[in-house]
Structures are given as C-alpha cells and as structure tokens.
Amino acid sequence: MEAIEIRGLTFSYPGQAEPALRGVNAVVHTGEFVTLCGLSGSGKTTLLRQLKPALAPHGVRTGEILFEGKSLDTLGLREQSAKIGLVQQSPENQLVTDKVWHELAFGLESLGYDTPVIRGRVAEMAAFFGIEDWFYRDVTALSGGQKQLLNLASVMVLQPSVLLLDEPTSQLDPIAAGDFLTAVGKINRELGTTILITEQRLEEVFPLSDQVLVLNGGCVIADGTPREVGGQLRAAGHPLFFAMPTAMRVWAAVPNDAACPITVRDGRDWLGTFASEQTLTEIPANQPPQSSGNAAISLSEVWFRYEKDQPDVLKGLSLTVRKGEFFALLGGNGTGKTTALSVIAGLQSPYRGNARVRGTVGVLPQDPQALFVKKTVREELLDVLYGKQPAEVEAGVARAAALCRLEGLLDRHPYDLSGGEQQRAALAEILLRDPDILLLDEPTKGLDAQFKQQLAALLQTLCRRGVTVFMVSHDVEFCAEYAHRCALFFDGSIVTDGPPRRFFSGNSFYTTAANHMARDLLPTAITAYDLIVACGGAVPTPPETPVETAPPSADNKTNVLPKKLPRWRKWISVAAGAAAVWAFIKAISVTDLTSLVDSSGVTGPIGDY
C-alpha cells in the first residue's frame, strides 16, 4: 500500500521566478525507509514540509499529494498532527516545555487524550527510548543528543504512521548522531513506521534505506535503492556522488568486478578481498606541519563559568593556534567547545587565565540566523559594506555571491533559505569583513558535498594568505581531509591534539569511516582518497570551485581579553565616579537631585548643562 503518493508537485515561493519544486512524482510505500538527498537548495526541505500541511511554506502549489489513498488537503488538523510526525534540524526549536516528562505528554494533552492514556503512552515511549534516567530532568540540562532524542520520542508518543525528519543530526556529534539514527532505524523495523529523512550523513542512513530520492533543481533525478542511485550518480558524474558512503566511493574509483559495498562492514570485506589479490600502497604515517607562523590565538590556563554557583565549563584550557593555521576542535555536545570559541572571540571573559588574539576577528555562529537583520540576502551583504565606494560595494557583493553560491538567492529573505543556504549567506557576510582570524562554529552543518569542497578550497586559500581558521565541528570527515591540526575537547580542556592522520588513526570511535574500514590493513588511512590511492585507483577530480577572495586586513593589533578587576581598582573607580557626580552638582548649584527631573522630563538646570 502507498503511504504517500506525489503527483506532478510544483511549488514556488512568493516573488520567485523559478519554482523550488518542479513536477515531482514519487511513491513511498507503507513501512519503507526513504532518504531524500540532494545539493543544498535542491528542494529537500521544501518537499518534506509539503507533506506536513500545517508547516508548509507559503507559496503557490500545483499537483497533488495523496496520504494513504486520500488527498492530503482533506486531512483534518487533528488527524494530520497524530498521523504525520516531524522532527526538525535544531534540537532547541521543537521543545516547548520545561521538563522531560511534560514534553512527552504535551502532544497528547493538546489533542485531549485522557490521563490514563497519556500516562501509559508516555511510560511506553520512555522505556522504548531508554530515557527513564532523565525522565524528571529539566529540558535545559540535556545534551544536544538527548534533546533531539526527546523530540523524536515526543513525536512518536502520538503513534504517527509517517515520520518526517529534516536533517535531524546536523547539530549532533558523531556518536550522538549514530545513537539517534539507530533509534530511527529501530522505529522503522520494530514499529513499521514509514520514514522520510533528509540527511547529509549518507554514510549512516544509506544502510538503513530501502529507497533513495535525489533532488536537483527541484526535480527528481534519481530514484531507487542506495546501490542503484549510487550507480546512476556515478555514471552521470553528479557532484553529489562525493557525498556517497566511503566504501562506495572507493569501490567506484578502483577497477574491480565485485559488488558495490554500502556499509563500513561491506567495505572492510571488499578491501580484504582486494588486498588478497593486489598489493596495497603504504600510507605515510605522518603529515608535514602546515604552519610555523607567530601565535594568532593564545589561551593560557583559562577558566570560565557562566554563573558564580555553576560548575566550570572551561577548566585550565591552554592552546596556541598559529597564523595561517587551520585548527579544528572536535568533541561531544555540551563539552564546552562553543564556549571556548566565545572566549576567543571576546564575547565571554574568563575569571582566571589569559586569552589573547592577534588581529581582527570574524565569527560565524552555530545559528546563522543570529546574523540576519535585513529583508533580503543582498541587503545583508550591502550592510556589511556600508560606507564604501559604490564600485567597491558592487564588486564585493558579486565576489561574495560567487564564493558562496548565492547568485540566485540575493533577493530572497534569509529566513526563506534552506539550512545550508543560510550557512552560505552567513559565511559570505563574515568573509566580506576580511578578518585576520576566522572563528567557525559548525560551518559545514547543512552543507552539501560540493559546497564543502568549495569551502575547503576557500579556507585553504585564506590560510595561505595568513588568515587563521579556528573551527568547531562534528564533521570528522571534513576535518580529517582538510584541517592542519585537530584536537579533542573533553571536560573543559583539550585531551589530545595533532595532525589529522595521527589524531584520527589513534582514535577507536571518534574517527572516520575510512579508518574504520581499513584499520587492520592500512592503520594510517583516514580518508577515502587515502584508500583510493592505496588501491591504485583514479582519484576523482572535485568540482571546480572559485577561490578568489580579497586579502585580509593588515590590522595586527593584539587584543587581550579582560580579566576581573582587582578590588582596589573597583574602589578607585567608584570613588572617581562619586567625585564626578559631586563636581557636577556643585557646578549647577543644586543639592536636591529630585528637582532636576519632573513628570515631563528634565528641568531647566540640567537641560542647560
């Protein structure tokens, strides 16, 4: 039976000449696990939201969507809420209550279920997802992975027949993401729930998928099993093939007659068979150092906490990042990585230790919407260049749009963009400021494989020009391939760091799919390209990416972030302020300060002065 049937669906956002979806036709059978993939802005999120009418974006739609044989438009709001569940990208945006148990019960309470039914379903979901240990905790005390798991449980307590997931692991660390996707797979297998998921982590979702739909420019360009879709993208030379699972990419680049592997286990078996017939090329154990410049970022025994009575988030953190270095900080959700970034940026001040930066700083926050204040992307970029000559402004906007693939998005509202497009727009804003130090918090979140390669080329160009890149990331594959140095953050400080090859080959769990696949045969291999070269394959040529950008500013001032003032300096400041107030009062010959202000505002004496 068809759970969902899409017939000729076309959708256009208001004021846009080009439709976001073009004549989409697809069938999803009951109980299937379907993955929607495509380049950023290809229409994945738009399509997913069309399947949840209450959250569908405003615009013009033609075509038809059938849900369990009936037009989706005829489905009542109550039935729609109960039968079609949706989990969004941000773990924070879907939480509405303060306690875990109340979050689980909220949907059922809103639909008017009886208390015994609510208690029974909540208890069942808590046991199914293994959250009994934090059942009574505050939602704010949960990690990112726990919050997203709670979102999933809060949707599943309604017992939907279809579950929609919009890049649900984009803000989770690799281990939390794996746990979450394992739970989704369990829901599909054991409960028979139909799953439609958009996801950039194809390494993890392909093994779970029965069907894959590939969107490009709002059209379905490939449809089939993961192996079939991988073959179609490979034959077409599509950029999305660079996002395929590592085992599939290595297999495709090496001449062989074996069946296409999908999972890491499949890849390990394939590599073992290949190595028994062919000689593998050794991978160098070490990588040469990438930067020997002066220190651009220096942290010395930095301690920080958000409130006086709360535990420390940073605990004696010491770190040096040199000019022109690409440094990647990895670690689990809630370990303090973003806090460390905010201290380096000067947004937070440590209560002990020193934090020094040399040069101007640009910060890309984890939530790109924090930067958006204008009605269009073009206005956002123009605002950064305010006060410059018209020719310089025009050239700057064109350069940023080309670098970040925004040419067709300049007249769109930033909030109407997909998650990946918002990341690119925010990055364009930061790059226009030409910072000496670039601080990036999860910059690859929501980005497709093609733009990740473009971003990497851009960051490498900036580093060669002396810009320092400090990146907080969960994207181990990206860090392994492009970073100069990686570090693991745990319990408020760095526990290990080193060049990517040494760093990832020394980890058992926090490492890449390529290292998992080849550890027994090639212990120091950490990327798909390592394995392709070792097997004598042809390394695919990545898509061309524009990397021209203006040189960084020449501001080399050292900024020392303030520590707490000594008490004696505070008393001097208070005394000086009091003296200034007394001198002002004497000057205007008024001793009763209440006479300076009345119900209509300031009175004559203070107005004159």
Side-chain angles (χ1 to χ4, degrees):
M1 177 181 175
E2 292 83 8
I4 294 173
E5 185 177 358
I6 303 171
R7 298 174 178 174
L9 180 64
T10 297
F11 177 81
S12 299
Y13 285 98
Q16 298 301 308
E18 297 295 327
L21 297 173
R22 305 166 183 261
V24 174
N25 294 287
V27 174
V28 178
H29 295 94
T30 301
E32 279 190 331
F33 191 115
V34 179
T35 298
L36 299 175
C37 57
L39 301 179
S40 178
S42 60
K44 303 186 300 295
T45 297
T46 302
L47 177 58
L48 207 66
R49 289 182 177 272
Q50 295 297 324
L51 306 179
K52 182 79 170 175
L55 298 177
H58 179 62
V60 179
R61 193 192 85 182
T62 59
E64 188 178 21
I65 302 176
L66 301 181
F67 178 78
E68 296 180 349
K70 301 177 183 178
S71 174
L72 186 60
D73 295 332
T74 64
L75 206 64
L77 188 60
R78 178 187 176 89
E79 191 177 6
Q80 178 194 136
S81 301
K83 289 192 172 184
I84 305 174
L86 173 66
V87 177
Q88 304 176 59
Q89 287 188 26
S90 172
E92 308 284 349
N93 290 349
Q94 206 163 333
L95 299 172
V96 294
T97 66
D98 58 344
K99 298 288 186 181
V100 170
W101 67 269
H102 198 188
E103 189 71 28
L104 289 171
F106 180 79
L108 295 170
E109 291 173 345
S110 301
L111 293 178
Y113 281 86
D114 295 334
T115 299
V117 174
I118 294 175
R119 288 172 60 88
R121 288 204 191 178
V122 166
E124 182 183 31
M125 281 300 108
F128 184 84
F129 287 98
I131 61 179
E132 300 100 321
D133 292 343
W134 32 284
F135 188 74
Y136 293 104
R137 288 175 62 182
D138 290 337
V139 168
T140 55
L142 303 181
S143 68
Q146 289 174 324
K147 288 177 180 177
Q148 198 66 311
L149 198 63
L150 176 59
N151 284 329
L152 179 60
S154 300
V155 169
M156 290 307 301
V157 78
L158 298 174
Q159 299 178 351
S161 57
V162 173
L163 177 62
L164 312 175
L165 302 108
D166 187 9
E167 297 196 19
T169 69
S170 63
Q171 297 186 27
L172 304 185
D173 64 73
I175 295 175
D179 292 342
F180 182 88
L181 291 174
T182 297
V184 173
K186 184 179 179 183
I187 289 171
N188 178 245
R189 290 191 314 272
E190 298 184 11
L191 303 182
T193 306
T194 304
I195 305 290
L196 278 87
I197 183 171
T198 67
E199 184 58 71
Q200 298 292 346
R201 299 176 188 259
L202 301 184
E203 194 86 50
E204 286 86 359
V205 298
F206 260 39
L208 302 173
S209 302
D210 300 304
Q211 180 185 3
V212 176
L213 290 173
V214 181
L215 292 176
N216 188 50
C219 303
V220 176
I221 62 169
D223 181 3
T225 67
R227 281 188 175 86
E228 291 170 347
V229 166
Q232 294 171 31
L233 295 177
R234 177 195 180 192
H238 196 277
L240 191 62
F241 188 74
F242 287 92
M244 293 296 106
T246 298
M248 182 184 292
R249 291 166 56 200
V250 175
W251 168 86
V254 177
N256 69 101
D257 298 324
C260 175
I262 299 294
T263 67
V264 169
R265 183 176 66 181
D266 293 342
R268 190 183 299 118
D269 294 341
W270 173 85
L271 186 62
T273 302
F274 185 88
S276 66
E277 301 170 353
Q278 305 285 340
T279 302
L280 301 180
T281 303
E282 289 294 326
I283 302 296
N286 297 313
Q287 292 168 303
Q290 297 288 331
S291 176
S292 57
N294 296 326
I297 301 171
S298 298
L299 303 181
S300 178
E301 287 295 318
V302 168
W303 292 74
F304 175 83
R305 64 178 67 153
Y306 284 98
E307 298 292 341
K308 189 174 182 180
D309 58 346
Q310 289 185 352
D312 290 310
V313 179
L314 304 182
K315 304 176 182 180
L317 174 61
S318 294
L319 171 68
T320 298
V321 182
R322 302 194 175 278
K323 182 179 180 180
E325 185 175 17
F326 182 178
F327 180 86
L329 187 62
L330 301 103
N333 290 100
T335 55
K337 304 185 301 300
T338 296
T339 301
L341 201 73
S342 66
V343 167
I344 295 171
L347 303 175
Q348 303 286 354
S349 298
Y351 72 84
R352 189 191 309 169
N354 292 317
R356 298 173 181 267
V357 295
R358 179 175 292 277
T360 57
V361 176
V363 183
L364 178 66
Q366 190 171 117
D367 181 6
Q369 291 185 1
L371 297 179
F372 301 145
V373 295
K374 302 295 183 180
K375 294 182 179 179
T376 67
V377 174
R378 189 187 304 277
E379 290 179 14
E380 292 285 350
L381 301 182
L382 291 174
D383 190 52
V384 176
L385 299 171
Y386 179 79
K388 297 184 180 295
Q389 296 296 321
E392 188 178 357
V393 170
E394 184 178 350
V397 171
R399 174 170 56 89
L403 282 171
C404 298
R405 271 192 6 223
L406 299 172
E407 294 94 333
L409 307 173
L410 291 175
D411 296 318
R412 294 269 298 274
H413 194 290
Y415 280 49
D416 287 340
L417 305 180
S418 70
E421 289 169 340
Q422 288 182 351
Q423 284 289 96
R424 285 161 26 206
L427 180 62
E429 280 195 51
I430 302 304
L431 293 177
L432 277 178
R433 302 180 190 277
D434 288 331
D436 301 310
I437 298 171
L438 193 57
L439 305 180
L440 308 173
D441 196 353
E442 299 293 347
T444 63
K445 177 186 66 179
L447 298 184
D448 57 68
Q450 184 182 35
F451 190 74
K452 283 184 184 182
Q453 292 180 326
Q454 182 172 336
L455 173 63
L458 176 60
L459 295 180
Q460 290 170 337
T461 299
L462 292 174
C463 287
R464 286 194 294 269
R465 291 178 174 173
V467 176
T468 303
V469 177
F470 187 109
M471 181 175 76
V472 168
S473 181
H474 293 316
D475 193 337
V476 295
E477 311 289 340
F478 186 87
C479 296
E481 193 161 346
Y482 301 112
H484 299 161
R485 184 159 57 104
C486 299
L488 183 63
F489 202 84
F490 176 75
D491 195 28
S493 63
I494 291 174
V495 293
T496 181
D497 76 306
R501 197 174 304 286
R502 188 180 73 201
F503 176 84
F504 287 107
S505 61
N507 295 336
S508 296
F509 299 101
Y510 224 92
T511 187
T512 64
N515 191 252
H516 280 306
M517 179 174 158
R519 174 158 292 196
D520 294 337
L521 297 170
L522 299 165
T524 57
I526 60 171
T527 69
Y529 295 113
D530 288 342
L531 298 185
I532 292 171
V533 172
C535 295
V539 177
T541 302
E544 291 186 7
T545 55
V547 295
E548 289 301 319
T549 183
S553 64
D555 184 359
N556 288 318
K557 295 183 293 183
T558 299
N559 300 325
V560 181
L561 305 184
K563 296 186 294 184
K564 281 191 172 182
L565 288 174
R567 185 171 295 178
W568 63 271
R569 287 189 61 183
K570 292 181 180 179
W571 281 112
I572 290 177
S573 299
V574 172
V581 173
W582 178 250
F584 175 73
I585 292 173
K586 294 292 289 182
I588 62 177
S589 302
V590 174
T591 56
D592 181 9
L593 296 181
T594 61
S595 66
L596 299 178
V597 181
D598 59 22
S599 60
S600 61
V602 297
T603 57
I606 194 170
D608 295 339
Y609 280 87

